[in-house]
C-alpha cells in the first residue's frame, strides 16, 4: 500500500530537480520566479505524501503553513518586480 506513495514521492522529487534547473538557468526573471513557485508547490505535495508514508498527520499543518508563506513570498516578489519597491511613501 505504501509503495505507490513512495513512487509518487520519487517522481515529485525528480520534477523538483527539473524545475530547479529552470530556476538556475532560466532565460528571464519571471521564468525563475515561476520555477521557484512550482518548486514550492511540489514541496508542499511532497510533504503531504511524506506525512502519509510515515503516518505523521501534523506534517499537513506544516505543509499548509509553507503554502501560505510561499504564496506571500510570490506576491512580494511580483510587487517588487512591478514597482521596483515594496512600500510606497
Amino acid at each position: 500500500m505504501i509503495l505507490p506513495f513512495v513512487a509518487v514521492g520519487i517522481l515529485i522529487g525528480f520534477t523538483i530537480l527539473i524545475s530547479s534547473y529552470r530556476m538556475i538557468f532560466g532565460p528571464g526573471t519571471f521564468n525563475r520566479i515561476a520555477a521557484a513557485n512550482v518548486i514550492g508547490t511540489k514541496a508542499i505535495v511532497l510533504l503531504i505524501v511524506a506525512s502519509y508514508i510515515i503516518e505523521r498527520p501534523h506534517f499537513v499543518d506544516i505543509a499548509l503553513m509553507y503554502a501560505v508563506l510561499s504564496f506571500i513570498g510570490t506576491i512580494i516578489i511580483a510587487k517588487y518586480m512591478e514597482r521596483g519597491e515594496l512600500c510606497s511613501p
Side-chain angles (χ1 to χ4, degrees):
M1 184 71 180
I2 298 287
L3 188 61
F5 290 102
V6 172
V8 166
I10 291 171
L11 184 65
I12 291 171
F14 181 70
T15 58
I16 287 174
L17 288 175
I18 293 172
S19 297
S20 65
Y21 174 79
R22 176 58 65 189
M23 189 175 72
I24 294 169
F25 300 111
T29 306
F30 292 108
N31 287 331
R32 290 180 177 161
I33 293 171
N37 199 14
V38 167
I39 290 171
T41 304
K42 289 183 184 296
I44 293 164
V45 174
L46 192 60
L47 271 171
I48 292 174
V49 169
S51 74
Y52 182 78
I53 290 172
I54 61 175
E55 298 175 357
R56 303 281 186 190
H58 60 274
F59 279 7
V60 176
D61 297 333
I62 295 170
L64 288 173
M65 287 305 298
Y66 186 71
V68 169
L69 290 174
S70 176
F71 176 72
I72 290 171
T74 303
I75 295 298
I76 289 172
I77 291 171
K79 185 176 179 181
Y80 179 74
M81 293 298 296
E82 180 181 289
R83 293 185 181 176
E85 61 183 3
L86 291 178
C87 298
S88 59

